[in-house]
Short mmCIF file of all heavy atoms in Angstrom, two decimals:
data_model
loop_
_atom_site.label_atom_id
_atom_site.label_comp_id
_atom_site.label_asym_id
_atom_site.label_seq_id
_atom_site.Cartn_x
_atom_site.Cartn_y
_atom_site.Cartn_z
N THR A 10 155.08 208.19 133.73
CA THR A 10 155.30 208.49 135.14
C THR A 10 154.90 207.34 136.05
O THR A 10 155.44 207.22 137.13
CB THR A 10 154.52 209.75 135.57
OG1 THR A 10 153.16 209.56 135.26
CG2 THR A 10 155.04 210.98 134.86
N VAL A 11 153.96 206.52 135.62
CA VAL A 11 153.55 205.40 136.49
C VAL A 11 153.83 204.08 135.78
O VAL A 11 153.40 203.87 134.65
CB VAL A 11 152.05 205.48 136.85
CG1 VAL A 11 151.66 204.28 137.73
CG2 VAL A 11 151.72 206.79 137.55
N TYR A 12 154.59 203.21 136.46
CA TYR A 12 154.91 201.89 135.91
C TYR A 12 154.22 200.84 136.76
O TYR A 12 154.46 200.77 137.97
CB TYR A 12 156.42 201.64 135.96
CG TYR A 12 157.22 202.63 135.15
CD1 TYR A 12 157.66 203.82 135.72
CD2 TYR A 12 157.53 202.37 133.82
CE1 TYR A 12 158.39 204.74 134.97
CE2 TYR A 12 158.26 203.27 133.07
CZ TYR A 12 158.68 204.46 133.65
OH TYR A 12 159.40 205.36 132.91
N LEU A 13 153.37 200.05 136.13
CA LEU A 13 152.79 198.89 136.83
C LEU A 13 153.74 197.73 136.63
O LEU A 13 153.84 197.19 135.52
CB LEU A 13 151.43 198.53 136.22
CG LEU A 13 150.21 199.04 136.97
CD1 LEU A 13 150.00 200.50 136.61
CD2 LEU A 13 148.99 198.25 136.61
N VAL A 14 154.43 197.34 137.67
CA VAL A 14 155.51 196.36 137.54
C VAL A 14 155.11 195.05 138.23
O VAL A 14 154.70 195.06 139.40
CB VAL A 14 156.80 196.90 138.18
CG1 VAL A 14 157.91 195.84 138.15
CG2 VAL A 14 157.27 198.17 137.47
N GLY A 28 162.01 195.48 135.60
CA GLY A 28 161.41 195.81 136.89
C GLY A 28 162.46 196.34 137.86
O GLY A 28 162.25 197.35 138.53
N THR A 30 165.38 197.72 137.17
CA THR A 30 165.87 199.03 136.72
C THR A 30 164.91 200.14 137.16
O THR A 30 165.33 201.21 137.62
CB THR A 30 166.00 199.05 135.18
OG1 THR A 30 166.86 197.98 134.80
CG2 THR A 30 166.53 200.35 134.66
N LEU A 31 163.62 199.88 137.02
CA LEU A 31 162.63 200.91 137.36
C LEU A 31 162.57 201.16 138.86
O LEU A 31 162.46 202.31 139.31
CB LEU A 31 161.26 200.51 136.81
CG LEU A 31 161.16 200.55 135.28
CD1 LEU A 31 159.90 199.87 134.79
CD2 LEU A 31 161.23 202.00 134.78
N ILE A 32 162.64 200.08 139.66
CA ILE A 32 162.60 200.28 141.12
C ILE A 32 163.82 201.08 141.55
O ILE A 32 163.75 201.96 142.41
CB ILE A 32 162.56 198.93 141.87
CG1 ILE A 32 161.28 198.16 141.53
CG2 ILE A 32 162.64 199.14 143.38
CD1 ILE A 32 161.25 196.72 142.05
N GLU A 33 164.98 200.79 140.90
CA GLU A 33 166.22 201.45 141.31
C GLU A 33 166.19 202.96 141.09
O GLU A 33 166.95 203.70 141.71
CB GLU A 33 167.41 200.84 140.54
CG GLU A 33 167.85 199.52 141.13
CD GLU A 33 168.75 198.71 140.18
OE1 GLU A 33 169.12 199.24 139.11
OE2 GLU A 33 169.04 197.54 140.53
N LYS A 34 165.30 203.45 140.19
CA LYS A 34 165.25 204.90 139.98
C LYS A 34 163.89 205.51 140.36
O LYS A 34 163.57 206.63 139.99
CB LYS A 34 165.64 205.26 138.56
CG LYS A 34 164.73 204.72 137.48
CD LYS A 34 165.30 205.07 136.11
CE LYS A 34 164.44 204.52 134.98
NZ LYS A 34 163.48 205.39 134.42
N ALA A 35 163.12 204.76 141.16
CA ALA A 35 161.78 205.25 141.51
C ALA A 35 161.83 206.36 142.55
O ALA A 35 162.69 206.37 143.44
CB ALA A 35 160.95 204.08 142.04
N ASP A 36 160.90 207.31 142.43
CA ASP A 36 160.68 208.29 143.50
C ASP A 36 159.69 207.73 144.52
O ASP A 36 159.76 208.04 145.70
CB ASP A 36 160.08 209.59 142.94
CG ASP A 36 161.03 210.28 141.97
OD1 ASP A 36 162.23 210.38 142.30
OD2 ASP A 36 160.57 210.71 140.90
N VAL A 37 158.74 206.95 144.01
CA VAL A 37 157.69 206.39 144.87
C VAL A 37 157.50 204.91 144.50
O VAL A 37 157.44 204.58 143.31
CB VAL A 37 156.34 207.11 144.63
CG1 VAL A 37 155.30 206.63 145.64
CG2 VAL A 37 156.49 208.62 144.67
N VAL A 38 157.41 204.05 145.50
CA VAL A 38 157.05 202.65 145.25
C VAL A 38 155.77 202.35 146.04
O VAL A 38 155.74 202.53 147.26
CB VAL A 38 158.17 201.68 145.69
CG1 VAL A 38 157.73 200.23 145.47
CG2 VAL A 38 159.46 201.96 144.93
N ILE A 39 154.74 201.96 145.32
CA ILE A 39 153.45 201.64 145.96
C ILE A 39 153.26 200.13 145.78
O ILE A 39 153.16 199.65 144.65
CB ILE A 39 152.31 202.43 145.28
CG1 ILE A 39 152.59 203.93 145.38
CG2 ILE A 39 150.96 202.06 145.90
CD1 ILE A 39 151.59 204.80 144.63
N HIS A 40 153.27 199.39 146.90
CA HIS A 40 153.32 197.93 146.74
C HIS A 40 152.23 197.20 147.49
O HIS A 40 151.64 197.71 148.45
CB HIS A 40 154.70 197.41 147.18
CG HIS A 40 154.95 197.52 148.65
ND1 HIS A 40 154.66 196.50 149.52
CD2 HIS A 40 155.47 198.52 149.41
CE1 HIS A 40 154.98 196.87 150.75
NE2 HIS A 40 155.47 198.09 150.71
N LEU A 48 162.71 193.26 147.53
CA LEU A 48 162.73 194.14 146.36
C LEU A 48 162.67 195.61 146.75
O LEU A 48 163.15 196.47 146.02
CB LEU A 48 161.56 193.81 145.41
CG LEU A 48 161.55 192.39 144.84
CD1 LEU A 48 160.41 192.22 143.86
CD2 LEU A 48 162.89 192.07 144.18
N LEU A 49 162.12 195.89 147.93
CA LEU A 49 161.99 197.28 148.34
C LEU A 49 163.37 197.90 148.61
O LEU A 49 163.55 199.11 148.48
CB LEU A 49 161.11 197.38 149.59
CG LEU A 49 159.68 196.87 149.37
CD1 LEU A 49 158.90 196.90 150.68
CD2 LEU A 49 158.96 197.69 148.29
N LEU A 51 165.84 197.68 146.79
CA LEU A 51 166.43 198.15 145.53
C LEU A 51 166.13 199.63 145.30
O LEU A 51 166.80 200.31 144.53
CB LEU A 51 165.85 197.37 144.33
CG LEU A 51 166.11 195.87 144.24
CD1 LEU A 51 165.37 195.27 143.04
CD2 LEU A 51 167.62 195.63 144.11
N ALA A 52 165.10 200.15 145.96
CA ALA A 52 164.69 201.54 145.74
C ALA A 52 165.71 202.49 146.36
O ALA A 52 166.37 202.15 147.35
CB ALA A 52 163.32 201.77 146.36
N PRO A 53 165.85 203.69 145.79
CA PRO A 53 166.75 204.68 146.39
C PRO A 53 166.34 204.96 147.84
O PRO A 53 165.15 204.89 148.17
CB PRO A 53 166.53 205.94 145.53
CG PRO A 53 165.91 205.46 144.27
CD PRO A 53 165.16 204.21 144.60
N SER A 54 167.31 205.29 148.70
CA SER A 54 166.98 205.46 150.12
C SER A 54 166.00 206.60 150.33
O SER A 54 165.26 206.62 151.30
CB SER A 54 168.25 205.65 150.94
OG SER A 54 169.00 206.70 150.38
N ALA A 55 165.97 207.56 149.39
CA ALA A 55 165.06 208.70 149.55
C ALA A 55 163.66 208.41 149.02
O ALA A 55 162.74 209.22 149.18
CB ALA A 55 165.63 209.93 148.81
N ALA A 56 163.48 207.26 148.41
CA ALA A 56 162.17 206.96 147.79
C ALA A 56 161.09 206.82 148.86
O ALA A 56 161.33 206.35 149.96
CB ALA A 56 162.27 205.67 146.98
N GLU A 57 159.91 207.24 148.46
CA GLU A 57 158.75 207.07 149.33
C GLU A 57 158.19 205.66 149.10
O GLU A 57 157.91 205.30 147.96
CB GLU A 57 157.69 208.13 148.97
CG GLU A 57 156.47 208.11 149.84
CD GLU A 57 155.37 209.06 149.35
OE1 GLU A 57 155.51 209.60 148.22
OE2 GLU A 57 154.40 209.25 150.06
N ILE A 58 158.05 204.87 150.16
CA ILE A 58 157.55 203.49 150.03
C ILE A 58 156.17 203.44 150.68
O ILE A 58 156.02 203.76 151.87
CB ILE A 58 158.47 202.48 150.76
CG1 ILE A 58 159.94 202.67 150.36
CG2 ILE A 58 157.98 201.05 150.54
CD1 ILE A 58 160.32 202.11 149.03
N ILE A 59 155.17 203.07 149.90
CA ILE A 59 153.80 203.03 150.44
C ILE A 59 153.26 201.61 150.31
O ILE A 59 153.18 201.06 149.22
CB ILE A 59 152.88 204.01 149.67
CG1 ILE A 59 153.48 205.41 149.64
CG2 ILE A 59 151.48 204.02 150.30
CD1 ILE A 59 152.69 206.41 148.80
N ASP A 60 152.90 201.04 151.46
CA ASP A 60 152.33 199.68 151.49
C ASP A 60 150.81 199.80 151.44
O ASP A 60 150.19 200.30 152.36
CB ASP A 60 152.77 199.00 152.80
CG ASP A 60 152.19 197.60 152.94
OD1 ASP A 60 151.47 197.14 152.03
OD2 ASP A 60 152.48 196.97 153.97
N VAL A 61 150.23 199.35 150.33
CA VAL A 61 148.77 199.36 150.23
C VAL A 61 148.23 197.95 150.33
O VAL A 61 147.13 197.65 149.88
CB VAL A 61 148.28 200.04 148.93
CG1 VAL A 61 148.60 201.52 148.94
CG2 VAL A 61 148.86 199.37 147.70
N ARG A 69 142.83 198.48 152.29
CA ARG A 69 142.82 199.78 151.61
C ARG A 69 141.97 199.58 150.37
O ARG A 69 142.23 198.69 149.57
CB ARG A 69 144.26 200.18 151.27
CG ARG A 69 144.45 201.38 150.40
CD ARG A 69 144.82 202.63 151.16
NE ARG A 69 146.14 202.60 151.77
CZ ARG A 69 146.96 203.67 151.78
NH1 ARG A 69 146.62 204.79 151.18
NH2 ARG A 69 148.11 203.61 152.39
N ILE A 74 143.49 203.27 146.23
CA ILE A 74 144.77 202.97 145.57
C ILE A 74 144.81 203.67 144.21
O ILE A 74 145.82 204.29 143.84
CB ILE A 74 144.95 201.44 145.40
CG1 ILE A 74 145.00 200.76 146.77
CG2 ILE A 74 146.20 201.12 144.58
CD1 ILE A 74 145.00 199.24 146.73
N GLU A 76 143.30 206.37 143.35
CA GLU A 76 143.45 207.81 143.56
C GLU A 76 144.90 208.16 143.91
O GLU A 76 145.43 209.17 143.46
CB GLU A 76 142.50 208.29 144.66
CG GLU A 76 141.05 208.36 144.16
CD GLU A 76 140.03 208.48 145.28
OE1 GLU A 76 140.43 208.70 146.43
OE2 GLU A 76 138.83 208.32 144.96
N LEU A 77 145.51 207.28 144.70
CA LEU A 77 146.91 207.50 145.10
C LEU A 77 147.82 207.46 143.87
O LEU A 77 148.71 208.31 143.69
CB LEU A 77 147.30 206.41 146.10
CG LEU A 77 148.67 206.46 146.74
CD1 LEU A 77 148.80 207.70 147.61
CD2 LEU A 77 148.88 205.19 147.59
N LEU A 78 147.58 206.49 142.99
CA LEU A 78 148.39 206.37 141.77
C LEU A 78 148.24 207.61 140.90
O LEU A 78 149.23 208.15 140.38
CB LEU A 78 147.94 205.14 140.96
CG LEU A 78 148.36 203.78 141.49
CD1 LEU A 78 147.74 202.68 140.66
CD2 LEU A 78 149.88 203.65 141.47
N VAL A 79 147.02 208.06 140.75
CA VAL A 79 146.76 209.24 139.92
C VAL A 79 147.43 210.46 140.54
O VAL A 79 148.10 211.24 139.85
CB VAL A 79 145.23 209.45 139.75
CG1 VAL A 79 144.95 210.82 139.17
CG2 VAL A 79 144.63 208.35 138.87
N ALA A 80 147.29 210.62 141.85
CA ALA A 80 147.85 211.81 142.52
C ALA A 80 149.37 211.84 142.40
O ALA A 80 149.95 212.86 142.01
CB ALA A 80 147.44 211.81 144.00
N ARG A 81 150.03 210.71 142.68
CA ARG A 81 151.50 210.67 142.61
C ARG A 81 151.95 210.80 141.15
O ARG A 81 152.96 211.42 140.85
CB ARG A 81 152.06 209.40 143.22
CG ARG A 81 151.91 209.30 144.71
CD ARG A 81 152.68 210.42 145.41
NE ARG A 81 152.79 210.18 146.84
CZ ARG A 81 151.83 210.40 147.72
NH1 ARG A 81 150.67 210.90 147.33
NH2 ARG A 81 152.03 210.16 149.01
N GLY A 82 151.20 210.18 140.24
CA GLY A 82 151.55 210.27 138.82
C GLY A 82 151.43 211.70 138.30
O GLY A 82 152.28 212.18 137.56
N ARG A 83 150.38 212.39 138.71
CA ARG A 83 150.17 213.78 138.27
C ARG A 83 151.25 214.70 138.79
O ARG A 83 151.57 215.71 138.19
CB ARG A 83 148.82 214.28 138.78
CG ARG A 83 147.67 213.88 137.90
CD ARG A 83 146.49 214.77 138.15
NE ARG A 83 145.45 214.49 137.18
CZ ARG A 83 144.18 214.27 137.48
NH1 ARG A 83 143.78 214.34 138.74
NH2 ARG A 83 143.31 214.03 136.54
N ALA A 84 151.81 214.33 139.95
CA ALA A 84 152.86 215.17 140.54
C ALA A 84 154.17 215.02 139.78
O ALA A 84 155.18 215.64 140.12
CB ALA A 84 153.05 214.78 142.01
N GLY A 85 154.16 214.17 138.73
CA GLY A 85 155.34 214.04 137.88
C GLY A 85 156.43 213.20 138.49
O GLY A 85 157.57 213.20 138.03
N ARG A 86 156.10 212.46 139.54
CA ARG A 86 157.11 211.60 140.16
C ARG A 86 157.22 210.31 139.35
O ARG A 86 156.30 209.91 138.65
CB ARG A 86 156.70 211.23 141.59
CG ARG A 86 156.05 212.34 142.40
CD ARG A 86 157.05 213.25 143.10
NE ARG A 86 158.05 212.54 143.89
CZ ARG A 86 157.89 212.20 145.17
NH1 ARG A 86 156.76 212.44 145.77
NH2 ARG A 86 158.87 211.62 145.84
N GLU A 87 158.38 209.63 139.44
CA GLU A 87 158.54 208.31 138.84
C GLU A 87 157.94 207.30 139.81
O GLU A 87 158.51 207.03 140.88
CB GLU A 87 160.02 207.99 138.62
CG GLU A 87 160.69 208.85 137.56
CD GLU A 87 160.28 208.47 136.15
OE1 GLU A 87 160.34 207.27 135.81
OE2 GLU A 87 159.89 209.37 135.38
N VAL A 88 156.79 206.78 139.46
CA VAL A 88 156.04 205.92 140.39
C VAL A 88 156.12 204.47 139.92
O VAL A 88 155.80 204.17 138.77
CB VAL A 88 154.56 206.33 140.46
CG1 VAL A 88 153.80 205.44 141.44
CG2 VAL A 88 154.43 207.81 140.84
N VAL A 89 156.55 203.58 140.82
CA VAL A 89 156.48 202.15 140.52
C VAL A 89 155.34 201.55 141.35
O VAL A 89 155.34 201.64 142.58
CB VAL A 89 157.80 201.43 140.84
CG1 VAL A 89 157.60 199.91 140.83
CG2 VAL A 89 158.87 201.81 139.82
N ARG A 90 154.37 201.02 140.67
CA ARG A 90 153.28 200.30 141.34
C ARG A 90 153.66 198.83 141.27
O ARG A 90 153.56 198.20 140.20
CB ARG A 90 151.97 200.59 140.61
CG ARG A 90 150.80 199.74 141.05
CD ARG A 90 150.40 200.02 142.48
NE ARG A 90 149.20 199.28 142.84
CZ ARG A 90 149.17 198.37 143.81
NH1 ARG A 90 150.27 198.08 144.48
NH2 ARG A 90 148.04 197.76 144.10
N LEU A 91 154.13 198.28 142.38
CA LEU A 91 154.70 196.93 142.40
C LEU A 91 153.64 195.94 142.86
O LEU A 91 153.13 196.02 143.98
CB LEU A 91 155.90 196.93 143.36
CG LEU A 91 156.86 195.76 143.30
CD1 LEU A 91 157.42 195.55 141.91
CD2 LEU A 91 158.00 195.99 144.30
#
Side-chain angles (χ1 to χ4, degrees):
T10 56
V11 179
Y12 299 89
L13 261 80
V14 176
T30 303
L31 291 168
I32 297 171
E33 281 164 6
K34 63 184 178 95
D36 296 315
V37 186
V38 178
I39 302 175
H40 69 91
L48 299 184
L49 299 176
L51 296 176
S54 53
E57 183 187 10
I58 310 283
I59 307 175
D60 179 1
V61 292
R69 171 101 68 141
I74 297 173
E76 285 166 11
L77 185 64
L78 285 175
V79 167
R81 291 298 192 281
R83 276 200 173 131
R86 321 274 309 272
E87 292 286 310
V88 181
V89 167
R90 170 66 175 118
L91 195 56

